Amino acid sequence: MISINGLTVAYGGFTLLDDINFHISENDKIGLVGKNGAGKSTILKLICGLQNPTAGKVAVPSGIRIGYLPQIMEHHKGRSVIDETMTAFADMYAKEDELERITQELATRDDYESKEYGDLIVRLNEINDSLNYMHSESPRVQAERTLVGLGFRYEEMDRPTETFSQGWNMRIELAKILLSKPDVLLLDEPTNHLDIESIEWLEGYLKDYKGSLVLISHDRKFLDNITNRTVEIMLGHIHDYKVPYSKYLELRKERISQQMAAYENQQRMIEKTEEFIERFRYKPTKSNQVQSRIKQLEKLERVEVDEEDASALTVKFPPAPRSGDIAFKATDLTVGYGSKVVFSGADIEVRRGEKVALVGRNGEGKTTLMRVIMRELEPMSGEARTGHNVNVGYYAQNQEDILNKQDTVFETLDRIAVGDVRTKLRDILAAFLFKGEDIDKKVAVLSGGERARLAMAKLMLKPYNLLALDEPTNHMDIRSKDILKQALKSYDGTLIIVSHDRDFLDGLVDKLYEFRDGKVKEHLGTVAEFLEKRRIESLNELERHYRPAEPKLEEAPQKKSASQQDYQARKYVSKEEKRRKNRIAFLEKSIDEIEGKMKDIEAKLQNPSPRDDIMELTREYLELKRDLDAKTDEWVELGSETNSGQER
C-alpha cells in the first residue's frame, strides 16, 4: 500500500534516518518504537507529505485516505463539541448531494444508450455502495458514541470547543479522524491526553479497525493489544519484526545474542588464523599455507553486531525515613476553585508503605488532590493532613510552572541541594541521561522528556518518605518507564501516583481512588480488576442512554372524565408500542451482527492460520452463541406480544 524506499533524513552533519526501507500493507497494525528523538514522529510526517526527506521517497497510491493525529495540533473554534465532530461526515454529505444531483439528471435524460448516461449509472452505484457502508448507523449516533468513548459526557456535547483544554480538544480531533474512516491511520502518542477508561475504549476501537495503522506509543499494553508488527528505529536504522511489542523484545534479544555468539566464534577463528600467519610467515615450507590463510581472511565476510542504544535511566530512590502509620488522611473533604466544587465528601486514607493510584476522567480532581497534599490549595470544607514525620517529594504534571527556564540543568539541582549530596549531583544527572555538555543546557531548550527526567532527578536530592507523582511517565520511552517502575516497586516509602498508563500501574499499586462525578471512591485490588468493573458499568450506562425510557403511569386525578381516561390509556399503549418496536429493531440488528461474527469465526475454525488461537476463537464463539440465544428469545417474546396486541 505505502512504500518507504531508501529514506534518509539529515540535519547538517547529523543523520537522523539512514537509508531506511519498509512497506505498510493493507490491514497492517504497526507499532513504531524507539527512544525519544529516534525519528518516529518524523516518519509519520514524511508519510503525510508534511516533511521532505534528504534522499529517498515515500510512495502513496492515489486515492488512499490518510488520517493523521500529531502530538501537537491546531484546534478549531466557534462550534460546539458535537457540531465540530460532525464535520467528519463532510465527505458523506457531499456524496449525498452528488447522489441527488445525479438522480435528478438521470430523470431528465433519455439517451439511455450513450456513454455519458452509462457513466452516470456507474457513478450512482459507486456512491450508493459507499453510502451504504457509511450509513451503518446515523452520523449523530456514531459521533455521540465516539465522543462518549473518549470521555465526554452527553451534557457536554453542546459546549463550545474553546471552553475545553488542549487535551480535550485533541480528543475531538481524534474522534473526527476515527469517524472519517480513513484507509490508513497514523497516530502519534494518542493516549497522552486520555484517561484509563478512554484508552480502553480506543484500544477496542483500533482492534476492530479494518484499515492500516501506524502507531507511536510508550504504552506497552496498548501496543501489545493492538499491533501485529513492530518497527524499531535505533541509531538511524530500522529493524522490522512481524510481531507485537513484547514478542519483539524476545526476538530482538535472541537476534542480538545470536549475532554476538557468531561474532565471538569468528573472532576466535580470525585470531587463530592470524597467529598461524605470523608464526609461519617466513618459513618457506609453510608459504603456500600462509598465503592460503591470508586470502581466506581477505575474502571473509565479517559478522557485525547491531549497535544498541544502551542509554537508559538508572534510578534508585534513597531509603525512606520512618513516618507515622498514617501517611495522608482526608475526612469529608470538599475541594474546588472559587465557587466551583471539584469533588466533595471524600474520605481517603493512605497508610505508611502503601502504593496508591488516583484514577479517573481528566478534570475530576486528581491533580487538585495533589495540590491539597502539597498545601498549595486549602479545602473548602472537611479535613486533609499528612501524618507524623511525613516528608513529601512532589513531581508536578506541568513542569513549565515548576522549573526555572533560565537555570541550567546543573543549576536546577545545585540551587536546592544541601550537604553531602552536592558532591553527587553529576552522578545523579548522569543517571537521568544528562552527561557532558548536557548539564550546561538551559531548561528553556529542553524537550518535554528531558524536563520530565530533570524534575524526577530533583527527587533524588532528599530522602522523602511520601512520593506524590502526577503523570511522571508522560514523556518517557518504554525502557525508561520500566526502570522507573522497578525503582518505585523497590522504594520503601509511601507512593501516591496519578497515571493513565495501565502497564505502568499493573503490579505497582494495589489500591485505587477513583475520581468520578464529583465523588471519590476507594477500590481495593489491581488495576485490571478495577477496569473490568468499570467496563461493565460503562456498558450499562451506554445501554441506558440508547434504550428508550420505560413509560411511567402517573396517578390519575380524582376527577377525570371517561374520554380523558381513554386518551391516557391510548397514549400509554402508543408509547409502549413504540418502545417495543424500537427494541425489536435493535434486537434484529444485533442478531444480524452476531450471526455475521459467528460465520467469520466458523470460517477461521474450518481453516485456521498459524496465528489463530483456536481456544480463544472457540470461547468467543460460545459467548456469541449465548448472546444470540438470549436476544433471539427476547425477540420472539416481543414479537408474540405485538401479535397478541394486534389481535386484541
Side-chain angles (χ1 to χ4, degrees):
M1 184 183 283
I2 296 177
S3 292
I4 294 172
N5 306 307
L7 203 67
T8 297
V9 175
Y11 303 101
F14 172 67
T15 300
L16 180 67
L17 302 171
D18 188 9
D19 191 28
I20 66 172
N21 300 274
F22 71 97
H23 185 79
I24 302 170
S25 303
E26 195 172 346
N27 298 324
D28 263 348
K29 292 186 176 177
I30 299 171
L32 197 57
V33 303
K35 292 180 69 67
N36 293 336
K40 304 185 295 295
S41 297
T42 300
I43 287 181
L44 296 194
K45 290 174 185 174
L46 290 165
I47 294 172
C48 290
L50 299 175
Q51 187 172 329
N52 295 318
T54 308
K57 66 176 183 177
V58 178
V60 181
S62 61
I64 292 292
R65 295 179 304 119
I66 295 176
Y68 171 50
L69 181 80
Q71 283 192 45
I72 302 170
M73 69 196 76
E74 290 292 323
H75 303 306
H76 299 278
K77 298 178 181 178
R79 293 192 183 101
S80 68
V81 171
I82 189 65
D83 288 342
E84 179 61 34
T85 305
M86 292 291 284
T87 62
F89 298 101
D91 184 48
M92 186 190 78
Y93 294 137
K95 285 182 177 176
E96 287 178 342
D97 292 342
E98 186 181 358
L99 182 68
E100 185 177 349
R101 181 182 59 77
I102 292 173
T103 303
Q104 290 174 353
E105 186 175 346
L106 288 172
T108 61
R109 297 181 66 146
D110 55 9
D111 54 334
Y112 309 120
E113 304 300 325
S114 69
K115 181 180 183 303
E116 290 80 5
Y117 194 93
D119 289 344
L120 285 173
I121 293 293
V122 169
R123 180 58 184 158
L124 185 75
N125 290 332
E126 287 176 352
I127 295 173
N128 269 321
D129 290 342
S130 177
L131 288 176
N132 284 337
Y133 171 68
M134 293 177 176
H135 277 156
S136 58
E137 221 172 9
S138 82
R140 176 85 184 201
V141 169
Q142 291 181 56
E144 284 186 352
R145 180 174 287 118
T146 304
L147 288 169
V148 169
L150 291 173
F152 286 92
R153 295 196 182 98
Y154 292 106
E155 57 268 26
E156 294 173 330
M157 300 292 178
D158 294 318
R159 263 179 60 183
T161 58
E162 54 265 35
T163 64
F164 287 89
S165 68
Q166 182 179 346
W168 284 99
N169 273 281
M170 186 281 291
R171 298 186 192 211
I172 298 172
E173 295 303 313
L174 177 56
K176 287 162 57 180
I177 291 168
L178 298 179
L179 289 166
S180 67
K181 298 180 180 176
D183 303 301
V184 182
L185 263 179
L186 308 177
L187 303 181
D188 193 348
E189 294 284 7
T191 63
N192 263 3
H193 297 284
L194 300 182
D195 49 59
I196 287 181
E197 291 173 53
S198 300
I199 291 172
E200 288 255 305
W201 179 88
L202 179 60
E203 184 180 287
Y205 185 98
L206 294 177
K207 279 182 183 177
D208 297 332
Y209 173 65
K210 301 302 181 187
S212 303
L213 169 69
V214 182
L215 170 67
I216 298 174
S217 178
H218 293 321
D219 186 328
R220 183 204 303 270
K221 194 179 287 287
F222 194 65
L223 287 169
D224 273 340
N225 290 342
I226 295 169
T227 62
N228 54 24
R229 181 176 162 198
T230 302
V231 174
E232 177 194 40
I233 308 174
M234 181 184 288
L235 302 173
H237 301 284
I238 69 159
H239 303 282
D240 196 346
Y241 298 81
K242 304 297 190 289
V243 293
Y245 183 81
S246 290
K247 185 65 177 175
Y248 135 78
L249 288 178
E250 296 174 17
L251 295 179
R252 180 174 171 276
K253 187 176 179 181
E254 289 176 14
R255 175 175 63 84
I256 298 294
S257 178
Q258 289 167 0
Q259 284 182 343
M260 185 59 72
Y263 173 80
E264 289 172 351
N265 286 336
Q266 189 180 68
Q267 288 301 306
R268 282 194 291 271
M269 184 273 289
I270 291 171
E271 187 180 340
K272 288 181 180 179
T273 303
E274 288 176 340
E275 188 179 307
F276 179 89
I277 292 169
E278 191 61 35
R279 184 175 178 185
F280 298 108
R281 182 186 294 274
Y282 304 108
K283 284 200 173 185
T285 56
K286 298 282 188 181
S287 62
N288 288 339
Q289 290 174 285
V290 168
Q291 289 304 314
S292 175
R293 301 287 175 96
I294 290 172
K295 288 178 181 178
Q296 181 185 350
L297 284 183
E298 289 173 350
K299 292 179 180 179
L300 184 66
E301 187 175 333
R302 303 288 174 124
V303 173
E304 292 184 356
V305 178
D306 288 329
E307 285 186 274
E308 283 195 87
D309 190 346
S311 56
L313 302 185
T314 51
V315 181
K316 185 177 181 182
F317 289 95
R322 186 175 177 83
S323 69
D325 288 341
I326 304 297
F328 174 76
K329 186 176 179 67
T331 306
D332 197 22
L333 183 66
T334 297
V335 179
Y337 301 92
S339 59
K340 176 179 168 53
V341 175
V342 178
F343 62 82
S344 61
D347 292 314
I348 300 167
E349 182 176 286
V350 181
R351 303 185 70 82
R352 183 181 68 238
E354 283 188 328
K355 293 181 170 62
V356 177
L358 310 182
V359 299
R361 185 174 178 268
N362 291 346
E364 290 283 2
K366 304 185 296 293
T367 297
T368 301
L369 179 64
M370 287 293 201
R371 294 192 62 198
V372 171
I373 293 172
M374 295 305 299
R375 299 183 181 277
E376 294 177 0
L377 183 65
E378 287 297 318
M380 289 178 162
S381 64
E383 184 183 12
R385 58 183 176 82
T386 52
H388 173 68
N389 200 35
V390 169
N391 188 11
V392 186
Y394 181 42
Y395 177 97
Q397 184 180 157
N398 188 357
Q399 295 306 320
E400 296 285 337
D401 299 335
I402 304 300
L403 300 174
N404 187 331
K405 293 180 183 178
Q406 301 311 311
D407 284 346
T408 66
V409 169
F410 184 83
E411 286 170 347
T412 300
L413 266 59
D414 190 48
R415 287 186 188 281
I416 57 176
V418 292
D420 293 342
V421 77
R422 294 180 65 86
T423 63
K424 302 175 183 176
L425 293 185
R426 292 179 184 275
D427 292 337
I428 291 172
L429 288 170
F432 285 89
L433 309 183
F434 293 105
K435 301 174 183 177
E437 296 177 357
D438 290 340
I439 68 172
D440 296 321
K441 283 183 180 178
K442 293 278 189 183
V443 170
V445 303
L446 298 181
S447 68
E450 287 172 324
R451 292 186 191 192
R453 297 202 307 266
L454 181 58
M456 192 63 67
K458 289 171 64 179
L459 297 180
M460 299 288 124
L461 301 183
K462 195 173 181 181
Y464 299 106
N465 50 26
L466 170 58
L467 291 179
L469 310 182
D470 193 352
E471 298 285 10
T473 64
N474 257 5
H475 299 282
M476 288 188 182
D477 56 58
I478 293 176
R479 198 171 358 162
S480 295
K481 286 199 296 187
D482 286 345
I483 293 168
L484 177 60
K485 178 178 176 177
Q486 293 308 313
L488 289 172
K489 287 175 74 171
S490 302
Y491 172 60
D492 58 352
T494 307
L495 173 67
I496 300 176
I497 185 168
V498 176
S499 178
H500 60 248
D501 191 322
R502 299 159 299 171
D503 185 62
F504 188 77
L505 294 178
D506 188 31
L508 176 62
V509 301
D510 49 18
K511 184 163 84 170
L512 301 92
Y513 282 98
E514 180 191 17
F515 290 68
R516 187 178 183 83
D517 298 329
K519 299 295 179 184
V520 181
K521 184 179 179 181
E522 182 183 68
H523 292 269
L524 299 176
T526 65
V527 175
E529 290 167 345
F530 161 74
L531 287 172
E532 183 59 33
K533 183 178 179 182
R534 286 297 301 123
R535 192 182 298 115
I536 294 168
E537 291 175 5
S538 295
L539 289 173
N540 290 338
E541 284 174 19
L542 278 175
E543 188 178 340
R544 280 199 298 275
H545 179 77
Y546 286 106
R547 185 178 62 212
E550 294 286 346
K552 292 182 179 179
L553 278 174
E554 297 179 1
E555 272 188 23
Q558 290 183 354
K559 293 182 179 180
K560 185 171 275 192
S561 68
S563 61
Q564 285 176 318
Q565 292 176 4
D566 185 47
Y567 169 75
Q568 288 287 356
R570 287 199 312 273
K571 185 178 177 182
Y572 171 76
V573 170
S574 173
K575 283 186 176 179
E576 180 66 19
E577 188 60 30
K578 187 177 179 181
R579 183 198 69 79
R580 189 181 291 115
K581 285 181 178 178
N582 286 342
R583 184 63 181 169
I584 288 172
F586 169 78
L587 289 169
E588 286 173 348
K589 184 181 177 185
S590 297
I591 287 168
D592 286 343
E593 290 175 352
I594 294 169
E595 287 176 341
K597 290 179 181 177
M598 289 174 71
K599 284 180 182 176
D600 290 343
I601 294 175
E602 285 170 3
K604 287 182 180 179
L605 290 172
Q606 287 172 3
N607 188 22
S609 72
R611 288 192 305 179
D612 288 329
D613 186 333
I614 303 299
M615 293 297 291
E616 179 62 23
L617 286 171
T618 304
R619 183 195 63 76
E620 186 179 349
Y621 185 86
L622 292 174
E623 286 182 359
L624 288 169
K625 180 70 169 60
R626 281 194 293 272
D627 194 18
L628 178 66
D629 291 343
K631 283 184 167 58
T632 303
D633 289 344
E634 185 183 355
W635 177 79
V636 170
E637 185 179 340
L638 287 172
S640 63
E641 288 177 11
T642 302
N643 292 334
S644 63
Q646 289 171 348
E647 289 171 5
R648 288 196 297 272

